Amino acid sequence: GNSVTQMEGPVTLSEEAFLTINCTYTATGYPSLFWYVQYPGEGLQLLLKATKADDKGSNKGFEATYRKETTSFHLEKGSVQVSDSAVYFCALSDRDTGNQFYFGTGTSLTVIP
Amino acid sequence: EAQVTQNPRYLITVTGKKLTVTCSQNMNHEYMSWYRQDPGLGLRQIYYSMNVEVTDKGDVPEGYKVSRKEKRNFPLILESPSPNQTSLYFCASSPYLDRVMGYTFGSGTRLTVV
C-alpha cells in the first residue's frame, strides 16, 4: 500500500541554521510528492511539489528532490528564520490508487532567535 | 480569491447534539475531502467525494456523514457527537484529473465535544 514516513519532531533550531526534515514513502505506482506547511492557527498550504524522479521542488528557500532510488523526498533549507516555525507535512498522491493523498504525521519546527 | 471556506472556525457542543460543519469551494474542483488532525496522528481522512453525488469512506468514517448535492459544497455531519470526536477538522479540494496541483485546504474547524 501507500504510506509516508517523516521524521519525528519536534525540531528546534537557531535562526540561520540548516534544516533537514526527512521523508520517505512507499507507493504502489508512480506518485507525485508534496510538502505542506501549517502555520499556527491556520490550514495547510502547499509549499512545494515534484511529479517525477529527480525533479526538485522549491519555494521560499525550501527545496526537496524526488529520489526514486531511495524513495525519499527530504525537505531542506539553508538558513531558517523565526517565521519558518510551523508544522511540515510530507504527502504523496498516487494515480494508481485513484489519486488519493497520503500524509505523514507532520514535523513541528520551532526556530529561536 | 480562490479558497475553501469552512464554518464555524470554533465550536463547542454537548454529546449527542447533531451538528454540521460546512465547507464550500469556489474553484470548481471535482474532488473534496474531510480530514481530522489529532496530536501525534497527523491527518486522517474521514470522507471524500470525487464529484457530485459520489462519496466514499476514508480511513476514519465512523460517526460521520457527508453529502455532495452541489459541486461547491461538502458538509460534514455529526449525527450524535461524542467526546472522541473532539479534534481539528479540515476540508480540502483539488481538481480530480489534475491531482498534481495538490490540495487547497480550508482554515480548519476546532470542535470540542463535552
Side-chain angles (χ1 to χ4, degrees):
Chain A
N2 295 325
S3 66
V4 175
T5 303
Q6 59 183 106
M7 66 185 282
E8 297 272 338
V11 175
T12 301
L13 294 174
S14 297
E15 208 166 20
E16 299 183 3
F18 185 87
L19 169 71
T20 299
I21 300 178
N22 290 336
C23 172
T24 57
Y25 67 90
T26 303
T28 54
Y30 200 145
S32 297
L33 302 174
F34 305 84
W35 277 101
Y36 283 84
V37 58
Q38 183 181 28
Y39 298 105
E42 298 184 14
L44 281 73
Q45 303 172 24
L46 180 62
L47 179 60
L48 54 84
K49 65 182 180 184
T51 58
K52 60 182 188 297
D54 300 324
D55 266 4
K56 178 186 285 189
S58 61
N59 187 21
K60 299 181 181 180
F62 290 89
E63 293 182 339
T65 301
Y66 190 143
R67 300 284 188 204
K68 197 167 188 292
E69 65 276 13
T70 55
T71 62
S72 65
F73 193 54
H74 304 321
L75 183 68
E76 297 181 335
K77 187 174 185 182
S79 177
V80 293
Q81 306 300 313
V82 172
S83 57
D84 294 326
S85 299
V87 180
Y88 293 83
F89 290 90
C90 186
L92 73 83
S93 171
D94 185 352
R95 286 185 180 160
D96 285 4
T97 52
N99 276 327
Q100 281 288 77
F101 270 84
Y102 299 85
F103 286 88
T105 53
T107 302
S108 174
L109 169 67
T110 300
V111 181
I112 54 177
Chain B
E1 180 189 353
Q3 60 186 359
V4 175
T5 303
Q6 287 178 236
N7 280 298
R9 288 293 306 274
Y10 301 93
L11 179 59
I12 301 175
T13 191
V14 296
T15 299
K17 185 177 181 182
K18 181 180 178 179
L19 66 92
T20 299
V21 183
T22 64
C23 173
S24 181
Q25 50 96 1
N26 62 0
M27 296 164 283
N28 203 36
H29 287 167
E30 294 83 11
Y31 190 98
M32 298 185 74
S33 184
W34 276 102
Y35 289 86
R36 60 178 289 174
Q37 183 180 16
D38 302 289
L41 298 176
L43 289 165
R44 293 181 293 170
Q45 191 177 46
I46 303 170
Y47 269 94
Y48 63 95
S49 169
M50 296 188 189
N51 215 324
V52 176
E53 301 292 2
V54 181
T55 63
D56 211 343
K57 297 177 181 178
D59 299 317
V60 289
E62 295 77 20
Y64 304 94
K65 285 175 56 177
V66 292
S67 68
R68 188 87 183 275
K69 294 185 172 58
E70 308 164 282
K71 200 172 189 179
R72 64 183 294 122
N73 295 323
F74 191 46
L76 179 70
I77 303 157
L78 285 72
E79 295 267 0
S80 182
S82 62
N84 65 12
Q85 293 178 298
T86 292
S87 187
L88 179 58
Y89 291 86
F90 288 103
C91 182
S93 72
S94 75
Y96 180 67
L97 293 180
D98 191 8
R99 293 295 299 282
V100 298
M101 293 299 294
Y103 272 133
T104 300
F105 280 86
S107 299
T109 296
R110 186 166 292 281
L111 172 65
T112 302
V113 184
V114 298

